[in-house]
Amino acid sequence: LAKTTQPISMDSYEGQEVNITCSHNNIATNDYITWYQQFPSQGPRFIIQGYKTKVTNEVASLFIPADRKSSTLSLPRVSLSDTAVYYCLVGSESSASKIIFGSGTRLSIRP
Amino acid sequence: GAGVSQSPSNKVTEKGKDVELRCDPISGHTALYWYRQSLGQGLEFLIYFQGNSAPDKSGLPSDRFSAERTGGSVSTLTIQRTQQEDSAVYLCASSIPGTSGIDNEQFFGPGTRLTVL
């Protein structure tokens, strides 16, 4: 089973860039790295996914070093509405049932 | 289009009663997942369906828990003889291979909050 480790919580302020790092030392060759965001009383929702190097979309960037044993989710210029729990997952369609969400990182944004 | 829906949104039951939770996945999604989330905790994987079959039931906490999926669509999660420790939010997600070029993106429903008194 692909296991991930990420900080339990982080605090930041509006307008700052927030970087959340996830460790996944036993990532498999076919595994993708995926991040989800969860607001209170809602199900998680997909943010971004990558396999290697850097991926950027309208919400975030994902940085993955060459060894793929870690990844960093970068949220530019956060706002209060970015306060949520962020989950890092590794896995693939072929191992769909083995994807573990873990406890996530609780991000709190202050004014 | 319509997302994943779950019913009921809230369920309060007495210890020892049976409950059924329903999940309607996004039309055409072949994979369906059930998770459980206790207050302030992460998601606990329960079971995964590919079509109507469940290749992985390893997350079911006990034999009081069962799930089925019919017609490759609707799924029900049944908890028999409920216990207080079953109280949690039960989340359902569905996915389809190759959606928008993303590997196994899961789309979640709003969850069912189960309270066992």
Side-chain angles (χ1 to χ4, degrees):
Chain A
L1 298 180
K3 185 178 185 301
T4 61
T5 303
Q6 51 184 124
I8 294 174
S9 64
M10 292 182 67
D11 296 326
S12 189
Y13 293 90
E14 282 191 293
Q16 298 296 305
E17 177 184 83
V18 171
N19 297 309
I20 306 174
T21 297
C22 179
S23 298
H24 27 79
N25 291 319
N26 59 344
I27 188 169
T29 302
N30 294 332
D31 285 346
Y32 285 80
I33 299 156
T34 310
W35 286 79
Y36 284 80
Q37 175 191 54
Q38 185 178 28
F39 296 114
S41 302
Q42 295 184 26
R45 67 170 186 169
F46 173 92
I47 301 176
I48 196 166
Q49 184 183 81
Y51 185 79
K52 62 180 179 180
T53 62
K54 176 184 174 182
V55 179
T56 297
N57 62 23
E58 64 277 7
V59 176
S61 294
L62 179 59
F63 298 91
I64 305 168
D67 66 5
R68 303 202 326 124
K69 293 184 182 300
S70 67
S71 59
T72 299
L73 174 72
S74 182
L75 304 173
R77 298 179 299 281
V78 294
S79 64
L80 296 176
S81 63
D82 292 315
T83 295
V85 178
Y86 293 81
Y87 297 95
C88 164
L89 288 70
V90 292
S92 67
E93 183 62 34
S94 61
S95 63
S97 66
K98 304 302 183 186
I99 295 175
I100 300 173
F101 270 77
S103 299
T105 296
R106 187 171 300 273
L107 176 65
S108 298
I109 305 301
R110 305 174 191 278
Chain B
V4 177
S5 61
Q6 293 184 245
S7 60
S9 56
N10 280 284
K11 177 70 176 179
V12 180
T13 190
E14 295 180 345
K15 178 182 173 181
K17 300 285 189 182
D18 297 352
V19 296
E20 271 193 5
L21 312 180
R22 176 186 169 111
C23 172
D24 282 273
I26 293 172
S27 177
H29 279 198
T30 56
L32 187 148
Y33 304 77
W34 283 99
Y35 296 89
R36 179 169 71 173
Q37 187 171 35
S38 300
L39 187 63
Q41 302 299 310
L43 277 71
E44 176 189 1
F45 168 80
L46 297 179
I47 190 168
Y48 158 69
F49 287 92
Q50 182 58 253
N52 289 336
S53 64
D56 191 342
K57 302 179 182 179
S58 63
L60 294 177
S62 74
D63 58 8
R64 296 186 295 104
F65 287 72
S66 63
E68 65 176 14
R69 188 179 186 195
T70 55
S73 182
V74 173
S75 176
T76 55
L77 177 69
T78 302
I79 309 173
Q80 295 178 310
R81 305 181 302 281
T82 52
Q83 304 294 312
Q84 288 183 332
E85 60 262 28
D86 298 334
S87 296
V89 175
Y90 289 80
L91 290 159
C92 172
S94 69
S95 71
I96 186 170
T99 302
S100 302
I102 297 168
D103 184 273
N104 194 41
E105 177 182 355
Q106 294 186 39
F107 294 82
F108 282 81
T112 293
R113 182 175 299 278
L114 175 65
T115 303
V116 182
L117 302 177

